[in-house]
Amino acid sequence: MPNVAVVDMEGKKVSTVDLADSIFGIEPNAAVMHQLVVSYLANQRQGTQSALTRAEVSGGGKKPWRQKGTGRARQGSTRAPQWYHGGVVFAPKPRDYRFSVNKKVRRLAMKSAFSTKAQGSEIIVVDSIALDTFKTQTIAKMLTAVGSEKKALIVLPTVDEKVIKSARNIAGVKTAQVNELNVYDILNADKLIIVKDALAKIEEVYA
């Protein structure tokens, strides 16, 4: 069972906590994690791109010159793709890129992502994150104190506007509640900073 130190906002160790083997100690499945990452990125696409085919471009109804005898290549329309102002070959049209992944695969992918972070010693458990006011500098100092100076994902047990708004101005830092976590954000972060109460919720949801 993985064991990690619990630190305060100044980086001082206050206790230790055991991580559940069923979530943080499994053999990571790279295939399902890849599937969830592709699904997440596909779901972010707007799918609003659009262009006109030669059938949709206005004009071009008249044959530009006769078929034979001019010495030039035969042409039937000035709206063919090779012409300036012509239509687009295989023009993109609005579409939905979303695809679903079944629940068991999603759960396995999440557990694999957590286990990957645990094996890489990239999980930091913080006793609590409490701010009296909106202060980006306080979050920045906390990140430095706990040893997370690059990309970080802060996992909160509940919505805390002071923490969320204080952290969003720091490049590479994201915040999320337990019910908002996804494989892409977990793997993309260099450090996974989990508030102790959020850790209990994660183990409750994924155990």
Side-chain angles (χ1 to χ4, degrees), residues 178-205:
V178 174
N179 60 346
E180 295 177 337
L181 287 173
N182 63 76
V183 174
Y184 176 81
D185 284 340
I186 293 172
L187 296 179
N188 190 47
D190 292 314
K191 294 290 185 181
L192 187 60
I193 302 172
I194 307 175
V195 177
K196 190 175 181 181
D197 290 344
L199 179 63
K201 286 191 175 184
I202 290 172
E203 294 184 345
E204 181 182 341
V205 171

Side-chain angles (χ1 to χ4, degrees), residues 105-150:
V105 174
R106 289 200 305 269
R107 289 180 66 87
L108 177 58
M110 288 294 291
K111 291 179 180 181
S112 296
F114 286 130
S115 296
T116 299
K117 289 300 178 185
Q119 291 175 11
S121 299
E122 296 172 355
I123 292 179
I124 299 170
V125 180
V126 180
D127 188 33
S128 66
I129 301 177
L131 301 182
D132 295 329
T133 184
F134 299 91
K135 195 74 173 177
T136 299
Q137 189 177 16
T138 304
I139 297 295
K141 286 181 178 179
M142 181 200 75
L143 294 173
T144 302
V146 301
S148 176
E149 298 179 357
K150 295 183 179 180

Side-chain angles (χ1 to χ4, degrees), residues 5 43 46 48 52 71 76 80 99 101 104 114 125 138 147 157-158 165:
N43 294 347
Q46 288 185 311
T48 55
L52 302 180
F99 67 92
V101 180
K104 286 185 178 180
F114 286 130
V125 180
T138 304
T158 56
K165 291 185 177 181

Side-chain angles (χ1 to χ4, degrees), residues 3-93:
N3 183 280
V4 296
V6 178
V7 298
D8 58 17
M9 292 181 64
E10 297 179 352
K12 297 177 182 177
K13 181 178 177 180
V14 294
S15 63
T16 60
V17 65
D18 292 326
L19 303 179
D21 274 336
S22 60
I23 302 172
F24 297 92
I26 71 168
E27 181 64 31
N29 188 319
V32 296
M33 287 192 290
H34 176 264
Q35 187 176 351
L36 263 292
V37 168
V38 172
S39 173
Y40 174 82
L41 294 176
N43 294 347
Q44 305 308 302
R45 298 184 68 174
Q46 288 185 311
T48 55
Q49 75 278 32
S50 183
L52 302 180
T53 65
R54 61 181 295 173
E56 296 167 323
V57 178
S58 63
K62 180 183 176 183
K63 189 174 175 67
W65 53 76
R66 62 194 177 97
Q67 180 82 345
K68 303 175 72 68
T70 64
R72 289 180 290 188
R74 57 194 176 189
Q75 301 291 329
S77 169
T78 56
R79 294 298 179 262
Q82 73 272 20
W83 284 76
Y84 182 63
H85 288 314
V88 177
V89 182
F90 306 125
K93 293 296 178 183

